[in-house]
Amino acid sequence: GPHSYYRDSVIRGPGAQERLNRHGEQMGQAYKRRNERSIRALGNFEYRVEPNTNQGTGGYFAPPLWLNQLFATANRPGRVLSDLIRARFPLPRGVSSVSLPIIGTGAVVGSQVDDAGVLSQDITDSAGVSPVVTLDGFVDVALQLLEQSPATAAVDWAVFTDLSEASDAQLETQLIVGTGTGINSQQLIGVATGVSGVNSITFPATTITGAVLYPYLGQAIAQIGDNRLKPPECWLMRTARWAWIKTSEDTATMPFDMGIPFFLGNTADTPDPIGGIANFPVFLDDAIPTNLGAGGTQDLIVCLRPSDLILFESEPQTMVTREPGSGTLSARILMHSYAAAITDRRPAGVSVVSGAGMAKVTGF
């Protein structure tokens, strides 16, 4: 005919919409007639073999069941320290950093003798700071997958869930080993690697056994008590490190098992301890990396008071846009959120056990 389908679709000149509507009706009728002819062409048929579940001999009548709603996301560490921090607040809009005053030298109070002078001491203060970091990511998805997959396939749900878990894993990692150094940093200030003034305990590589490590763990507890003047609240370590400690042998070749059951009355949103060391609960946190130390082959153990930390999180924002992938007929699914954490509020409440003796342990 004298008119172009694509021209009418793009330019929308006089009579274009009427022609497009008529074309759609005609094509719909043509498809219907074609399908009817295909059905009639099938006619009656019979199998020359005994039908069974093999494809080609009846198996196509027993299709597989896809449990799309029970999809599995990628393997990632979960929220442990993030959820142990009690002081969690929504991050307000319109800020690039979070700061709070910290009193270093405090006031003194004592007993007064009659008519004697009252004790006095000037306070000194500093600032605890955190940058507001952006946690973001995106996934490009074929538009056909979004449009043609059934509603129960939940492609968008799977992608958003995976992005959410990736964001939580990144937050957890930065809280522990973030490389931030100030308000202009692109990462949080990690309690184990970025906070100045934490208690540092070095486990040497002379004899690497659980029994030899144990006194160094005692040092971690003691230094928090001496410097923070309050006891620690918990341990953080990798699953493999905990397994190594639990199965190490003492001098009598007996398992160095330090299993102490704990029930802290946690809610469903709070992680549960796996056991205890020196009467303090142990939480397994596989966000602790294994590429630390001089040779990049070490992990670490953290003893700390999560109640000394403050965490700010914004609600995650999501967006779907077609523009970046218009040339390939794809859609971009994005997610981003903002976070800040005051991890240097009380550095004396953190002890980090590291050193050459903390070489990475794996399955054994």
Side-chain angles (χ1 to χ4, degrees):
H3 302 288
S4 166
Y5 171 79
Y6 295 106
R7 185 178 180 85
D8 281 348
S9 298
V10 176
I11 300 179
R12 301 281 179 171
Q17 189 59 54
E18 188 274 333
R19 289 191 295 273
L20 290 171
N21 292 340
R22 185 173 64 250
H23 172 75
E25 293 176 0
Q26 293 171 347
M27 294 301 295
Q29 294 173 3
Y31 280 119
K32 182 179 179 181
R33 289 193 296 272
R34 187 188 67 180
N35 292 336
E36 289 175 349
R37 287 196 300 271
S38 298
I39 293 173
R40 287 196 299 270
L42 289 176
N44 296 323
F45 61 94
E46 63 180 12
Y47 283 112
R48 295 300 179 184
V49 296
E50 182 179 352
N52 52 54
T53 57
N54 293 325
Q55 292 182 349
T57 58
Y60 289 109
F61 288 93
L65 173 64
W66 281 89
L67 301 176
N68 294 324
Q69 67 274 24
L70 301 179
F71 61 87
T73 54
N75 294 333
R76 295 187 185 91
R79 294 173 61 107
V80 181
L81 179 57
S82 307
D83 288 340
L84 287 174
I85 298 175
R86 303 171 191 170
R88 297 200 303 268
F89 303 99
L91 180 67
R93 292 180 176 270
V95 297
S96 61
S97 64
V98 177
S99 302
L100 57 80
I102 298 174
I103 295 178
T105 302
V108 295
V109 174
S111 299
Q112 183 197 29
V113 179
D114 292 353
D115 296 326
V118 177
L119 291 176
S120 176
Q121 178 172 274
D122 294 334
I123 66 171
T124 62
D125 65 351
S126 59
V129 300
S130 171
V132 172
V133 301
T134 306
L135 305 173
D136 55 17
F138 71 84
V139 175
D140 286 336
V141 179
L143 201 60
Q144 295 92 329
L145 181 62
L146 292 177
E147 292 181 340
Q148 296 300 108
S149 58
T152 55
V155 176
D156 53 350
W157 178 23
V159 172
F160 282 128
T161 300
D162 199 56
L163 284 170
S164 298
E165 293 179 358
S167 180
D168 287 342
Q170 181 60 215
L171 173 63
E172 185 72 14
T173 300
Q174 289 195 27
L175 282 173
I176 300 172
V177 292
T179 58
T181 57
I183 60 174
N184 296 320
S185 303
Q186 300 303 312
Q187 286 202 19
L188 299 176
I189 304 172
V191 293
T193 56
V195 177
S196 176
V198 301
N199 308 301
S200 180
I201 294 91
T202 301
F203 179 39
T206 50
T207 303
I208 305 177
T209 65
V212 175
L213 171 65
Y214 198 60
Y216 292 94
L217 301 180
Q219 292 181 31
I221 298 172
Q223 291 193 26
I224 292 178
D226 289 341
N227 300 320
R228 175 64 176 85
L229 302 180
K230 285 186 177 181
E233 294 173 345
C234 68
W235 299 91
L236 298 178
M237 65 181 68
R238 296 176 56 247
T239 301
R241 177 62 61 185
W242 172 249
W244 175 78
I245 292 175
K246 287 274 290 183
T247 56
S248 293
E249 296 179 343
D250 59 18
T251 55
T253 66
M254 296 295 292
F256 195 66
D257 192 327
M258 296 176 292
I260 300 176
F262 272 90
F263 176 73
L264 302 182
N266 296 327
T267 66
D269 297 328
T270 306
D272 291 314
I274 190 67
I277 294 179
N279 294 324
F280 294 103
V282 175
F283 292 89
L284 302 182
D285 195 337
D286 289 294
I288 298 174
T290 59
N291 59 351
L292 304 174
T297 59
Q298 303 168 15
D299 65 354
L300 50 79
I301 296 175
V302 183
C303 186
L304 79 166
R305 295 173 49 85
S307 61
D308 288 345
L309 311 179
I310 301 178
L311 176 62
F312 300 86
E313 293 182 86
S314 73
E315 292 186 1
Q317 304 294 317
T318 58
M319 179 174 61
V320 179
T321 177
R322 293 177 58 176
E323 285 76 9
S326 58
T328 56
L329 206 62
S330 63
R332 178 162 292 179
I333 302 176
L334 303 97
M335 173 179 288
H336 75 278
S337 62
Y338 302 100
I342 305 294
T343 53
D344 58 350
R345 183 165 169 255
R346 296 186 185 274
V350 179
S351 288
V352 179
V353 181
S354 59
M358 294 295 293
K360 174 185 175 182
V361 292
T362 57
F364 51 89

